[in-house]
Amino acid sequence: MLIKIPKKSELSENQVTQESVYLQRRQLLKGMGFIGAGTLLSSALSSKAHGSVFDLFKEEEKPVFTRKALSYSGQAGAENFPEKLTPEGKVISHNNFYEFGAQKHQPAELAQGFKVNPWQLKISGEVDKPVTLDYDRLFSTFALEERIYRLRCVEAWSMVIPWVGFPLAKLLKMAQPNSRAKYVAFETLHDPEQMPGQSSRRLGGGIAYPYVEGLRIDEAMNPLTLMSVGLYGKTLPPQNGAPIRLVVPWKYGFKSIKSIVGIKLLEKEPPTTWNLLAPHEYGFYANVNPGVAHPRWSQASERRITTGGLLARNRIETLMFNGYGEEVADLYKGMDLRKFY
Amino acid sequence: MLTTKVFWLKVLIHLGALLPLVNLYYLALSDQLTADPVEAVIHFTGIGALNLLLITLLVSPLSKFSRQAFLMKTRRLLGLYAFAYALLHLLNFLFFEVQFDLALFVGEIVKRPYMTVGMAAFVILLLLALTSFDKVKRRMGKSWQKLHNYTYLAVVLAGIHFYWSVKSEIIEPGIYLVLMLALLFLRRDKFRRWFKGKR
């Protein structure tokens, strides 16, 4: 019989990181393409010194956001959706979420410790029954469904993402908008301690926080307009707007505001973050429109982010209303979309 | 002694400029370079060109203040690498961003002022690279220096191109503009002489 007496210098079992925790971290990093040669380069390549030799040792302690599986009903005809999904690893590692850094790789790196529970989403303003949803009710108040949507960024790249969520219309109806409710305003959490971009001009790209967005009420009530709580069957990671975000698939991505804490129904058109910052570049409507160029680039085509590296031939024509014209074109009848871009 | 110093310095410059490119394209081609390798290679080569251009402009003041004249022998090589990075930046845009849509390529350069400015900087660098050979230099005589003074214009245009291209994050391009102005400020006597000469 072998009796093993551990030396003082040896680690005891309870000092070791649990395998499940360890594996999860590997999986996440792998998903983001940071394992292997990518590890070194992703920090070496960045023009800012966000990575250093010491990160190699710090890494083990970094928190990893835990996503939970969701139960939901599938989208009717989803199996026939003609376009290939963007790989999950790319959806969760390529994010414009300036609250966690203005470079696209930063949110996935800086948001992992983000706390989503407890959470409060308040629906107020021109409503008869103001509603407040806490974290659990975000997932349990309405039946969840999966929706595969194209996401077109104003920067002329796009993805195809399987979201999980519920129509915004259901939520608004619950609050019973009154007759003065013509617009819907949204606000992202303002918490500079958790969101480094809100406290640092350098990280946050110098935009004013909290981030605000808005829709006209008929746009908000359109069945396509989704409040998303998940993607790829699991709860949202923070870099994609956990715990709850908006998805408006026929508009440029920046309209789809993330990590929402407030929804307010208003009589007048609300201000919106990018419109305030550069009104000649980003309009209130921001409908995907191949005919109206951004002042600094054409919007007539886009690069679809799927698999394949540098040589992937993925430039495709941009569709009017991002391909959702049948469902939404009526909303803009008689409007000059050059003027109301 | 001096020649070995220059030799090793040049070896360092070759390695410093080429290794990152090998790494960059290896990762980008094998889809290991961020979710959007196209954007990554365009940004990397663009910033790289600007960095090399600034380093090239640093050579002559540095060799003057440190009294190390041999440093001047690295200036052409650095300038040529700045051009090579700028060329790759442009080719990355043509090959991978617009994917050989020539109408779009030309259209964007003509229609978008920040692209026009970038292209103007590239054309200057191209001319400087083409006239960088000793033979050409000798044949051009005095006009060679005149042409190569356009480096200053190229770096300013490149800085404007960068500043203009970003959405809202202006701190980084701002730092570049400050560095650029500092390097030009070191040459204020030269510029003063030009203006005096013209009057």
Side-chain angles (χ1 to χ4, degrees), chain A residues 303 312-315, chain B residues 93-101:
Chain A
R303 273 187 309 104
R313 300 302 304 273
N314 52 1
R315 192 153 197 109
Chain B
F93 180 72
L94 173 63
F95 288 10
F96 309 127
E97 176 69 42
V98 305
Q99 297 173 11
F100 293 106
D101 184 339

Side-chain angles (χ1 to χ4, degrees), chain B residues 55-189:
Chain B
I55 292 171
T56 312
L57 280 187
L58 191 62
V59 170
S60 98
L62 193 67
S63 77
K64 202 155 74 185
F65 291 128
S66 66
R67 293 168 194 268
Q68 302 290 325
F70 75 96
L71 290 175
M72 290 301 278
K73 303 218 159 158
T74 63
R75 196 168 63 167
R76 172 165 61 187
L77 186 61
L78 285 165
L80 283 171
Y81 268 122
F83 166 71
Y85 269 65
L87 178 66
L88 287 173
H89 179 60
L90 187 72
L91 292 179
N92 284 334
F93 180 72
L94 173 63
F95 288 10
F96 309 127
E97 176 69 42
V98 305
Q99 297 173 11
F100 293 106
D101 184 339
L102 282 178
L104 180 61
F105 179 72
V106 176
E108 291 293 87
I109 288 167
V110 175
K111 272 188 234 163
R112 319 283 169 214
Y114 93 97
M115 297 268 258
T116 319
V117 166
M119 194 64 194
F122 176 77
V123 170
I124 293 174
L125 293 185
L126 174 69
L127 291 175
L128 302 190
L130 290 175
T131 56
S132 65
F133 306 100
D134 287 331
K135 259 190 194 163
V136 183
K137 186 176 179 178
R138 247 175 274 125
R139 195 171 307 162
M140 285 178 73
K142 262 190 183 167
S143 57
W144 187 90
Q145 188 55 53
K146 237 182 203 170
L147 177 67
H148 280 248
N149 283 338
Y150 277 92
T151 317
Y152 307 125
L153 180 60
V155 74
V156 169
L157 293 175
I160 293 171
H161 169 70
F162 181 34
Y163 188 87
W164 213 336
S165 71
V166 299
K167 232 159 85 171
S168 78
E169 213 280 284
I170 55 168
I171 291 174
E172 196 186 345
I175 291 169
Y176 274 97
L177 288 181
V178 170
L179 288 176
M180 199 172 291
L181 288 175
L183 287 169
L184 294 178
F185 182 73
L186 292 174
R187 295 164 165 85
R188 59 195 181 280
D189 290 340

Side-chain angles (χ1 to χ4, degrees), chain A residues 117 161-162 165 234:
Chain A
N117 192 5
I161 303 173
K234 285 168 283 177

Side-chain angles (χ1 to χ4, degrees), chain B residues 4-76:
Chain B
T4 49
K5 248 194 213 167
V6 174
F7 172 78
W8 286 111
L9 202 51
K10 283 188 174 176
V11 169
L12 270 181
I13 292 168
H14 280 296
L15 291 177
L18 288 174
L19 287 183
L21 287 180
V22 172
N23 204 4
L24 180 80
Y25 286 104
Y26 166 70
L27 290 175
L29 290 168
S30 55
D31 202 10
Q32 296 180 71
L33 185 69
T34 77
D36 187 2
V38 174
E39 189 195 73
V41 294
I42 290 176
H43 284 184
F44 187 80
T45 49
I47 298 272
L50 196 51
N51 285 339
L52 284 162
L53 212 49
L54 292 178
I55 292 171
T56 312
L57 280 187
L58 191 62
V59 170
S60 98
L62 193 67
S63 77
K64 202 155 74 185
F65 291 128
S66 66
R67 293 168 194 268
Q68 302 290 325
F70 75 96
L71 290 175
M72 290 301 278
K73 303 218 159 158
T74 63
R75 196 168 63 167
R76 172 165 61 187

